[in-house]
Amino acid sequence: QQQVKQSPQSLIVQKGGISIINCAYENTAFDYFPWYQQFPGKGPALLIAIRPDVSEKKEGRFTISFNKSAKQFSLHIMDSQPGDSATYFCAACWANNLFFGTGTRLTVIP
Amino acid sequence: KAGVTQTPRYLIKTRGQQVTLSCSPISGHRSVSWYQQTPGQGLQFLFEYFSETQRNKGNFPGRFSGRQFSNSRSEMNVSTLELGDSALYLCASSLQRESGNEQFFGPGTRLTVL
């Protein structure tokens, strides 16, 4: 059973546009929600993370929006660049165990 | 500070063999977790070690095992390899065990089972 549901599976965005990736979870024991970026041949790299007592966190062009009552969170990438083309994974953490979404392959067209 | 290192980077084995993968965490990190990544199942948690003790285990058969040494380096072993074990095996280290600690991933070991 997939503990974290992620959508869309793939996303194509024009350079300068906004990329939005959504995730949903069921287990209310999760207490930390990171987003990872993965390039081909590399391990996932932490982008940004949020705790459930915060509704939004912004770091540069990356913003997490968190809705605790709906058990949903999303990643917004502002001013998307071709270098952002990668696979993005949301995750939910409990007891230092990460449960990952299925990933979103983002392509930013120049 | 050096990142998480994993060796070897690539492995080819045949069914029935066993394999040992190695992970060196970031200096000072005491928690090491292992994940399996496949196109079909995505990223799945295998197990976590902290202070040489397995703290958590994912939903994998007993053929998958691991250990951690006193210097926090970790190894995972897969016995009686099956075709379905072909995957990228990722190791991640974090400073402590509590949730909210950043987990830093290594580049992974690509295992191919023929």
Side-chain angles (χ1 to χ4, degrees):
Chain A
Q1 184 187 0
Q2 192 70 31
Q3 296 252 17
V4 180
K5 292 184 167 62
Q6 183 173 346
S7 64
Q9 192 173 2
S10 62
L11 182 60
I12 300 174
V13 171
Q14 289 282 139
K15 178 182 174 182
I18 302 173
S19 303
I20 302 174
I21 305 170
N22 301 300
C23 286
Y25 65 97
E26 285 298 323
N27 190 344
T28 56
F30 291 137
D31 56 6
Y32 174 66
F33 300 86
W35 284 87
Y36 283 84
Q37 178 190 57
Q38 187 175 29
F39 292 103
K42 305 283 188 185
L46 180 66
L47 258 183
I48 186 172
I50 198 168
R51 291 193 181 274
D53 52 350
V54 176
S55 61
E56 185 174 282
K57 184 175 181 181
K58 183 176 180 180
E59 288 183 2
R61 297 185 293 110
F62 301 93
T63 300
I64 299 178
S65 296
F66 190 87
N67 186 328
K68 188 174 181 178
S69 60
K71 292 187 280 188
Q72 294 175 349
F73 58 112
S74 60
L75 175 70
H76 291 62
I77 305 174
M78 313 300 287
D79 187 27
S80 298
Q81 299 296 313
D84 297 331
S85 297
T87 300
Y88 292 80
F89 294 92
C90 63
C93 189
W94 174 79
N96 216 29
N97 303 342
L98 289 171
F99 295 86
F100 285 90
T102 49
T104 297
R105 181 170 290 184
L106 172 65
T107 303
V108 182
I109 300 171
Chain B
K1 216 180 222 186
V4 177
T5 58
Q6 292 187 246
T7 56
R9 290 295 311 279
Y10 302 92
L11 262 180
I12 299 176
K13 293 285 187 179
T14 56
R15 277 186 304 171
Q17 288 187 308
Q18 76 164 26
V19 67
T20 299
L21 313 181
S22 181
C23 171
S24 292
I26 292 171
S27 177
H29 284 197
R30 300 170 61 195
S31 172
V32 174
S33 298
W34 288 88
Y35 295 84
Q36 181 196 63
Q37 185 174 26
T38 61
Q41 298 299 316
L43 277 152
Q44 292 185 288
F45 171 74
L46 277 156
F47 29 66
E48 182 211 2
Y49 285 87
F50 183 82
S51 293
E52 302 178 64
T53 301
Q54 186 181 96
R55 299 290 183 161
N56 286 297
K57 191 177 192 309
N59 191 25
F60 278 81
R63 300 184 297 106
F64 292 81
S65 63
R67 59 177 174 167
Q68 187 181 33
F69 302 94
S70 58
N71 61 358
S72 295
R73 192 177 70 83
S74 177
E75 289 181 347
M76 70 163 278
N77 185 276
V78 188
S79 62
T80 320
L81 283 166
E82 300 177 0
L83 294 178
D85 296 334
S86 294
L88 181 67
Y89 289 89
L90 291 158
C91 163
S93 76
S94 59
L95 199 57
Q96 296 290 347
R97 290 201 64 241
E98 294 80 14
S99 279
N101 274 271
E102 291 184 0
Q103 290 197 25
F104 295 88
F105 282 82
T109 294
R110 172 75 61 185
L111 172 64
T112 302
V113 182
L114 303 175

